Amino acid sequence: MRLALRDSILLRMSEIKTRTPDLLVMDQEQLSKRSAPLIDAFHRRISYLRLSVTDRCDLRCTYCMPERMTFLPKREVLSLEELFELSSGFIDRGVTKIRITGGEPLVRRDIMDLFAALGRRLGHDLQELTLTTNATQLADYADGLAKAGVKRVNISLDTLDRAKFAELTRRDALPKVLEGIAAARDAGLKVKLNAVALKGVNEAELPDLIAWAHGQGHDVTLIEVMPLGDVEEERLDQYLRLDTVRAELEQRWTLTDNEHSSGGPARYVDIPETGGRLGFITPHSNNFCASCNRLRVTATGQLYPCLGGTEQVDLRAALRSDNPQEALANGLDQAMRIKPERHHFNMDKRGADPAVARHMSMTGG
Ligand code: SAM
Ligand code: SF4
């Protein structure tokens, strides 16, 4: 597998270097299609890919998946070579940022080979390579990630209370996670912590979590829970509005709006008292779809243009067709036609079906 991935990288790199001769033999129309920017029907320019490399995970967060989660058979998942080929197709179309996610990306065997391969495109046509992780394995991988060119990581951490962490993730892994966070910092990676705000679970602890993170030099983003996939608990019981949380934090600290944008849905504030930055991702209380610049691809190569929608394009079939580059370009064009204007999450009704049947761990958070 390692050799095959190296071969496809070498092939790709030589393609990049020898693009001018290619121009002579390739049909002009085909060429412009393969490099045309991705702009959807609502004039949004797509420059960001979230790529899930596995749906598997070593935790079982209660808001993300049920305790007895059924994972995909491994044969359905794209190989590392296919993931690289697919990423290259997106980069050719103007995607400049790739976030590797999952499931838990660091449980995928040989995943560092993909980071190393994509890392070689940094500084050419890829501007940023990053990942979202639960950090349980990060102590082993932080140095390798930094070496591959990763500069920033998002780490999910909802509580600093070991017993609560064990209850929330159904695994007693907080010490490993804290070790992973420290290793990331020591490796020179900029860490941002993501916490899902959960009613009656970490609600009272959020100020302490924020103060701790800021004290360590890490930004924090709070996220409203989304109705993705069936979980044991009622979504409405988990849902905590972030405008309420913000109002409570304002009783304690000064929250100054910050224009910083990571190109994502978060709205940021600075907190002078803690010296850190805090983001709010509020799909329900403040819709952010108008500035959406991203596409998501699952580990099986299904492209979902919207996290909250059912629209989908099968890129695995494209990759495995006779003319993968052409088929991939066609698939991306189709994604631009079907990307919806906005999600339609509904958190008003008790007992409602999930907005989409897919869990976040499948689509890639
Ligand atoms: N396993 C990695 C992690 O936890 O960071 C990456 C994948 S995880 C699906 C990505 C993010 O999605 C995490 O920050 C997690 O908290 C968030 N998430 C999972 N299910 C969610 C849901 N139903 N609503 C809101 N956020 C969710
Ligand atoms: Fe795993 Fe991340 Fe989902 Fe938690 S949120 S179960 S760590 S994929």
Side-chain angles (χ1 to χ4, degrees):
M1 176 188 287
R2 282 172 176 234
L3 261 184
L5 180 56
R6 191 162 307 141
D7 287 347
S8 46
I9 299 159
L10 289 175
L11 189 69
R12 263 285 164 180
M13 297 313 270
S14 70
E15 264 181 21
I16 294 166
K17 285 199 197 113
T18 57
R19 201 157 267 174
T20 317
D22 275 358
L23 290 171
L24 302 173
V25 289
M26 213 185 275
D27 178 278
Q28 195 58 42
E29 194 185 322
Q30 258 186 346
L31 245 186
S32 54
K33 195 173 186 175
R34 285 186 201 171
S35 58
L38 296 170
I39 299 174
D40 77 0
F42 302 95
H43 311 292
R44 293 172 297 196
R45 171 87 183 250
I46 307 302
S47 57
Y48 183 9
L49 167 65
R50 289 195 166 212
L51 180 60
S52 172
V53 294
T54 178
D55 65 325
R56 286 165 197 258
C57 189
D58 52 352
L59 302 183
R60 295 286 184 280
C61 303
T62 50
Y63 54 80
C64 179
M65 57 175 77
E67 182 151 24
R68 290 175 190 283
M69 181 71 174
T70 310
F71 295 111
L72 293 163
K74 286 196 177 148
R75 63 177 180 279
E76 291 198 15
V77 170
L78 296 184
S79 67
L80 292 177
E81 297 75 43
E82 287 173 321
L83 288 166
F84 178 73
E85 209 37 53
L86 183 117
S87 304
S88 297
F90 279 80
I91 296 170
D92 291 345
R93 300 291 298 268
V95 163
T96 55
K97 175 173 172 179
I98 298 181
R99 176 177 298 280
I100 303 296
T101 179
E104 174 46 44
L106 297 182
V107 303
R108 170 99 195 232
R109 191 197 295 206
D110 295 333
I111 191 60
M112 294 309 287
D113 291 355
L114 182 65
F115 278 104
L118 287 172
R120 284 188 202 108
R121 297 201 68 165
L122 285 166
H124 296 273
D125 31 19
L126 184 61
Q127 284 167 12
E128 186 171 19
L129 175 63
T130 180
L131 88 153
T132 301
T133 174
N134 62 25
T136 57
Q137 322 268 327
L138 199 50
D140 294 334
Y141 291 117
D143 284 335
L145 289 165
K147 214 176 276 167
V150 172
K151 300 258 184 285
R152 302 188 299 152
V153 292
N154 283 2
I155 297 176
S156 305
L157 180 65
D158 305 318
T159 176
L160 286 169
D161 178 314
R162 185 166 176 177
K164 198 173 278 182
F165 185 98
E167 202 179 316
L168 190 56
T169 66
R170 302 183 177 111
R171 301 289 185 271
D172 180 21
L174 183 63
K176 288 297 289 175
V177 169
L178 295 179
E179 211 185 300
I181 295 174
R185 192 190 48 199
D186 293 347
L189 300 172
K190 175 85 184 130
V191 171
K192 179 165 78 71
L193 297 181
N194 285 339
V196 178
L198 297 161
K199 197 196 283 177
V201 179
N202 59 2
E203 185 172 359
E205 196 201 331
L206 290 174
D208 288 347
L209 182 63
I210 295 163
W212 175 83
H214 287 178
Q216 304 278 315
H218 309 319
D219 291 343
V220 182
T221 296
L222 303 179
I223 306 172
E224 284 178 344
V225 77
M226 294 172 243
L228 303 170
D230 262 326
V231 290
E232 278 93 347
E233 293 173 20
E234 162 65 43
R235 286 287 184 198
L236 258 190
D237 292 338
Q238 300 176 323
Y239 175 43
L240 177 60
R241 289 179 66 103
L242 285 183
D243 45 8
T244 316
V245 173
R246 182 176 172 143
E248 276 171 24
L249 293 175
E250 277 171 335
Q251 304 290 317
R252 177 186 299 249
W253 294 317
T254 320
L255 271 50
T256 318
D257 283 329
N258 178 309
E259 291 314 306
H260 167 85
S261 159
S262 59
R267 306 276 173 271
Y268 290 94
V269 297
D270 290 318
I271 308 182
E273 292 89 338
T274 59
R277 186 185 290 156
L278 176 66
F280 297 91
I281 298 186
T282 54
H284 315 294
S285 56
N286 182 4
N287 183 273
F288 46 62
C289 300
S291 58
C292 185
N293 64 350
R294 62 197 58 195
L295 295 174
R296 290 179 158 83
V297 176
T298 69
T300 60
Q302 302 308 307
L303 183 156
Y304 287 101
C306 176
L307 179 64
T310 51
E311 301 80 1
Q312 127 183 42
V313 183
D314 185 357
L315 295 186
R316 184 176 60 184
L319 278 172
R320 294 179 182 176
S321 68
D322 292 340
N323 188 348
Q325 291 190 352
E326 177 79 4
L328 205 52
N330 288 339
L332 292 180
D333 288 339
Q334 190 190 344
M336 291 305 92
R337 288 192 292 273
I338 64 174
K339 185 171 166 67
E341 187 172 15
R342 54 162 297 165
H343 69 73
H344 291 284
F345 292 139
N346 180 359
M347 290 296 270
D348 300 334
K349 242 176 56 207
R350 187 160 286 278
D353 285 337
V356 292
R358 305 182 309 273
H359 292 91
M360 184 77 122
S361 56
M362 181 170 172
T363 321

